[in-house]
Amino acid sequence: MNGNSPDFPARLRAAGLRPTRQRVALARLLFESGHRHVTAEGLHVEVKATRMPVSLATVYNALNQFRDAGLLREVVVAPGRSYFDTNIGHHHHFFIEPDGELHDFPSDKVTIAGLPTPPKGTRLSRVDVIVRVRR
Amino acid sequence: MNGNSPDFPARLRAAGLRPTRQRVALARLLFESGHRHVTAEGLHVEVKATRMPVSLATVYNALNQFRDAGLLREVVVAPGRSYFDTNIGHHHHFFIEPDGELHDFPSDKVTIAGLPTPPKGTRLSRVDVIVRVRR
DNA sequence: GCAGTATTTAGAATTGTTCTAAACTTCTTG
DNA sequence: CAAGAAGTTTAGAACAATTCTAAATACTGC
Ligand SMILES: [Mn+2]
Ligand SMILES: [Mn+2]
Ligand SMILES: [Zn+2]
Ligand SMILES: [Zn+2]
């Protein structure tokens, strides 16, 4: 109904990943409600609160595999910690500096004009806009 | 002549920092030629090649102090490593993904229109544009 | 079910960075 | 310029985030 089929085993298989109990549990937390920005530690705390605890190494493995499979994207906004973003469509971010909170905003109303051409021998891969704000 | 007075002791004093031998050596490497993007490790290797080796802890201390004093800005583009940028004016970056190289481009020809207003209770602090490119 | 392969896990290891506390420098003041 | 006070440097330990290792366990296709 919302385009997000809740059949997580099938979605994982489609991404070339075996639907293990751990990956299904993590996928549920990540994808069953709206878009999210999580850190590995944060997701680990969440999944531990579940009937199916998962090791921190597995959380890191799964996040990296989901990212490599295109199910997540990685966002780097602060030194020392990676965020993983369940929103893989085009969009940009507000970053609230003191708390480390990330908020999406759609990129379709944002126009970026006048970007120079990429340096010789390189191809554009992605344009990230991070709007840093303070309280 | 170029606005970059080479009197590093004076520049450091003006920033509220004692012009120690180590800080002067680092300031020379950072500011005596054009704009640079350095990592702590990279700058440490450079300064060690000098007659005046400096401990890695001091390189970190100095980079953080220079940043806090407004002499440098910190750029976060890749997980696990901070870059320090001697260009403190308005500008944006190309990030060459496989090698981790950063290149400036001026922001005055770049127009960003249609940015949403910051979330309630926050004030805009800075807008970073990172153009990620691949070889 | 079994074999074969992928995955999970605890714990060790690695990496980037910060902390600690003792030694050393720089600055101030007389 | 001699102290003394305050700030800085340093080696090494500590820390935080992440990855690695290798042994145990779980999936998969037959
Ligand atoms: Mn990674
Ligand atoms: Mn820092
Ligand atoms: Zn997002
Ligand atoms: Zn720059």
Side-chain angles (χ1 to χ4, degrees):
Chain A
M1 264 331 103
N2 62 358
N4 250 23
S5 153
D7 184 353
F8 294 112
R11 293 228 282 158
L12 290 169
R13 252 185 239 103
L17 297 165
R18 285 193 185 177
T20 63
R21 278 180 280 147
Q22 292 84 341
R23 295 210 271 228
V24 171
L26 293 170
R28 236 193 275 290
L29 290 172
L30 287 168
F31 304 119
E32 88 187 338
S33 39
H35 288 150
R36 309 196 49 190
H37 302 98
V38 304
T39 61
E41 273 292 349
L43 186 61
H44 186 225
V45 167
E46 271 186 67
V47 79
K48 273 193 298 191
T50 276
R51 276 293 160 67
M52 146 109 268
V54 174
S55 78
L56 182 57
T58 295
V59 173
Y60 274 105
N61 288 342
L63 287 173
N64 287 330
Q65 292 152 351
F66 290 6
R67 189 240 296 110
D68 293 347
L71 266 36
L72 289 178
R73 89 184 210 198
E74 192 170 359
V75 183
V76 182
V77 281
R81 206 178 211 96
S82 269
Y83 289 78
F84 290 87
D85 190 344
T86 63
N87 184 350
I88 55 177
H90 280 169
H91 69 287
H92 299 303
H93 292 99
F94 281 116
F95 183 58
I96 305 180
E97 297 258 30
D99 347 76
E101 240 182 286
L102 266 183
H103 293 291
D104 284 352
F105 63 83
S107 61
D108 52 337
K109 281 182 184 155
V110 179
T111 321
I112 307 175
L115 282 184
T117 51
K120 274 214 165 169
T122 67
R123 283 177 171 291
L124 198 138
S125 143
R126 187 169 100 186
V127 178
D128 284 338
V129 177
I130 296 150
V131 179
R132 293 169 190 277
V133 301
R134 280 204 269 269
R135 297 211 172 279
Chain B
M1 264 324 106
N2 63 358
N4 249 22
S5 152
D7 184 353
F8 294 111
R11 293 227 285 157
L12 290 170
R13 251 186 238 101
L17 298 165
R18 286 194 183 173
T20 64
R21 279 181 280 146
Q22 292 85 340
R23 296 210 270 229
V24 171
L26 294 170
R28 236 192 275 289
L29 289 172
L30 288 168
F31 304 118
E32 88 185 341
S33 39
H35 288 148
R36 309 195 50 191
H37 302 98
V38 304
T39 62
E41 273 292 349
L43 186 60
H44 186 224
V45 167
E46 272 186 64
V47 79
K48 272 193 299 190
T50 275
R51 276 294 160 66
M52 145 110 267
V54 174
S55 77
L56 182 57
T58 294
V59 173
Y60 274 104
N61 288 342
L63 287 173
N64 287 330
Q65 292 152 352
F66 290 7
R67 188 237 299 107
D68 293 347
L71 266 37
L72 289 178
R73 88 185 212 198
E74 193 169 358
V75 183
V76 182
V77 282
R81 205 177 212 98
S82 269
Y83 289 78
F84 290 86
D85 190 345
T86 63
N87 184 349
I88 55 178
H90 280 168
H91 69 286
H92 299 304
H93 293 100
F94 280 115
F95 183 59
I96 305 180
E97 296 259 31
D99 348 74
E101 239 183 289
L102 267 183
H103 293 291
D104 285 352
F105 63 83
S107 61
D108 52 339
K109 281 182 184 156
V110 178
T111 321
I112 306 175
L115 284 184
T117 51
K120 273 214 168 171
T122 66
R123 283 175 172 291
L124 198 138
S125 142
R126 187 168 98 186
V127 178
D128 284 339
V129 177
I130 296 149
V131 178
R132 293 169 189 278
V133 301
R134 280 204 272 269
R135 297 209 173 280

